[in-house]
């Protein structure tokens, strides 16, 4: 509480208690004390008087914006003009309550505390989404998002490397552009499995690069669900297995040659 009156501080604290809150507070009335308090603790709320002998609301608001811009800041003061209230709100205060109308304080505090929590949760969700997007983009495997009708909606750098298409070339196009014409049933079967919530794990198949050359891949296709659990699309992770298949074929050819040699060997 940025307040020069100890009596008014106790009055505000009592009003918060009557509203079901349990305030643990520190009263400050100078710039130095406010800076020290903001650096020493993590606060949920700042309640600030507008006019004090050695310090004022506008100065406190400027420090708040520098040190704790996400903490709700509510100005509680005596009679001031509407112009002053408008200036404080424009400068960054979240609300303004007259000391003669403290009944507005608790609803304002609860509203701003909820809003601050929602801002924190939103930033956290955005940070997680950004981190996950970075993981997807930097993954060596091709990761492709598509709708239930097969339209491509996301295309990472791994997909660019594997298939030769840029994201700009593929977003909005059907995933069938990558599937050889001699495998017509494969996509409908995969999408049907996704719609059932089953997906596909480790399907070894062939896809086409931009230059038309085939590439052997292992696919894992998983359903994408919205916040209500409804399946709205599919995520495909494609891994190039060309070298592995080549090594397997070479090994099979070697075994075949050895078997033939042994069959023609004389005792």
């Amino acid at each position: 509480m940025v307040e020069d009156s100890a009596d008014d501080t106790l009055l505000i604290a009592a009003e918060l208690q009557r509203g079901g809150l349990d305030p643990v507070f520190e009263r400050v009335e100078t710039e130095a004390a406010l800076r020290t308090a903001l650096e020493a603790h993590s606060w949920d709320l700042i309640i600030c008087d507008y006019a004090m002998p050695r310090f004022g609301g506008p100065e406190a608001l400027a420090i708040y914006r520098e040190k704790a811009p996400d903490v709700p800041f509510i100005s509680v003061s005596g009679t001031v003009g509407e112009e002053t209230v408008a200036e404080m709100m424009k400068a960054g205060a979240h609300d303004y309550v007259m000391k003669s109308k403290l009944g507005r304080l608790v609803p304002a505090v609860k509203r701003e505390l909820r809003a601050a929590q929602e801002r924190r949760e939103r930033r956290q969700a955005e940070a997680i989404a950004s981190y996950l997007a970075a993981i997807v983009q930097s993954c060596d495997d091709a990761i492709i998002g598509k709708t239930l009708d097969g339209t491509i909606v996301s295309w990472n750098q791994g997909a660019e490397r594997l298939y030769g298409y840029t994201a700009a070339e593929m977003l909005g196009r059907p995933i069938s552009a990558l599937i050889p014409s001699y495998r017509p049933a494969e996509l409908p079967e995969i999408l049907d499995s996704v719609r059932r919530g089953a997906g596909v794990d480790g399907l070894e198949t062939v896809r086409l690069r931009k230059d038309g050359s085939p590439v052997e891949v292992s696919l894992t296709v998983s359903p994408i669900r919205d916040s209500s659990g409804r399946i709205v699309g599919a995520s495909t992770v494609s891994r190039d297995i060309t070298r592995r298949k080549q090594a397997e074929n070479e090994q099979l050819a070697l075994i075949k040659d050895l078997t033939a040699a042994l069959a023609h060997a004389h005792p």
Side-chain angles (χ1 to χ4, degrees):
M1 292 194 201
V2 186
E3 173 63 68
D4 63 316
S5 169
D7 290 340
D8 283 355
T9 299
L10 294 177
L11 185 66
I12 291 170
E15 184 67 27
L16 294 174
Q17 288 174 333
R18 276 195 296 272
L21 300 172
D22 184 19
V24 176
F25 62 91
E26 178 178 346
R27 183 175 69 87
V28 299
E29 55 180 304
T30 65
E31 176 181 345
L34 176 58
R35 289 185 178 276
T36 299
L38 291 176
E39 292 171 359
H41 303 286
S42 177
W43 300 97
D44 297 312
L45 175 69
I46 297 173
I47 293 178
C48 180
D49 195 358
Y50 182 80
M52 294 176 288
R54 292 180 292 172
F55 195 42
E59 293 82 4
L61 185 57
I63 295 170
Y64 147 80
R65 294 186 65 183
E66 173 192 344
K67 296 291 186 179
D70 194 48
V71 178
F73 185 106
I74 298 178
S75 184
V76 178
S77 190
T79 302
V80 295
E82 293 183 0
E83 184 178 342
T84 299
V85 174
E87 288 176 357
M88 289 292 287
M89 299 293 287
K90 185 177 179 180
H94 291 90
D95 209 336
Y96 202 113
V97 177
M98 299 297 183
K99 287 184 177 179
S100 60
K101 298 180 179 179
L102 280 183
R104 285 193 60 245
L105 179 61
V106 170
V109 166
K110 290 182 176 180
R111 181 185 64 248
E112 295 305 331
L113 290 177
R114 284 195 302 269
Q117 179 63 25
E118 290 170 0
R119 289 194 295 271
R120 287 191 292 270
E121 292 174 353
R122 184 166 56 250
R123 282 199 304 273
Q124 184 179 30
E126 290 170 351
I128 293 172
S130 178
Y131 183 68
L132 291 176
I135 292 175
V136 169
Q137 274 299 99
S138 62
C139 183
D140 288 336
D141 292 337
I143 302 179
I144 303 168
K146 53 186 178 288
T147 62
L148 290 177
D149 66 0
T151 301
I152 296 170
V153 294
S154 67
W155 183 269
N156 77 334
Q157 293 177 2
E160 292 187 0
R161 289 189 293 269
L162 179 58
Y163 295 118
Y165 293 98
T166 65
E169 291 174 311
M170 293 305 292
L171 293 180
R173 291 186 61 185
I175 193 69
S176 57
L178 303 177
I179 301 176
S181 58
Y182 56 83
R183 295 177 179 267
E186 191 169 277
L187 180 59
E189 291 175 356
I190 291 174
L191 293 178
D192 285 344
S193 180
V194 169
R195 292 187 187 98
R196 296 194 305 271
V200 174
D201 186 21
L203 172 65
E204 295 187 0
T205 185
V206 177
R207 291 291 180 261
L208 298 177
R209 292 190 174 98
K210 183 178 179 179
D211 62 8
S213 62
V215 56
E216 295 190 82
V217 295
S218 174
L219 303 181
T220 297
V221 187
S222 304
I224 297 175
R225 301 176 186 271
D226 63 14
S227 58
S228 65
R230 183 170 59 96
I231 297 173
V232 295
S235 171
T236 300
V237 179
S238 309
R239 175 165 295 181
D240 187 349
I241 58 172
T242 303
R243 291 184 179 179
R244 196 198 80 196
K245 298 296 288 187
Q246 183 179 357
E248 291 175 355
N249 291 335
E250 290 174 353
Q251 186 177 33
L252 289 173
L254 178 60
I255 293 173
K256 182 177 180 180
D257 291 344
L258 289 174
T259 301
L262 289 172
H264 289 89
H266 296 288

